[in-house]
Amino acid sequence: MHTLTAIIRAQKGYEDKVKAELLKVGVFARDNEPDTIGFHVAQDPDDTCVFITFERFTDKAAMDRHNSGAGSQGFFAEAGDLMDGDVTVVTAKEIWCA
């Protein structure tokens, strides 16, 4: 299992738009990416500009398809200019899950 965690900071005032676009990615992944096992989105309650995704894929190829696919690319097309700084991304190979 491969994972990707992203930390995304929206510009102040654009939190709702970034949130909506992240949710669209989740729906797209659920409906069109059978090898995307999970796509979780969280929002920091103390700093609502900060979003974290935790994504699980069957393998690296599935992760690469997701990242280059319509859902992810659509997010960056719609919300890329609304971010405050670069997205922090950590990819990993899952070693344990309960």
Side-chain angles (χ1 to χ4, degrees), residues 21-33:
E21 293 304 321
L22 282 169
L23 297 178
K24 287 181 187 178
V25 178
V27 169
F28 183 88
R30 181 195 65 206
D31 294 346
N32 299 286
E33 299 176 358

Side-chain angles (χ1 to χ4, degrees), residues 4 8 25 57 74 78 87 97:
L4 184 152
I8 300 163
V25 178
F57 307 94
E78 293 297 321
V87 175
C97 180

Side-chain angles (χ1 to χ4, degrees), residues 60-76:
K60 185 177 181 313
M63 182 173 63
D64 292 343
R65 282 192 301 276
H66 168 81
N67 288 335
S68 64
S72 292
Q73 295 303 307
F75 170 77
F76 286 102

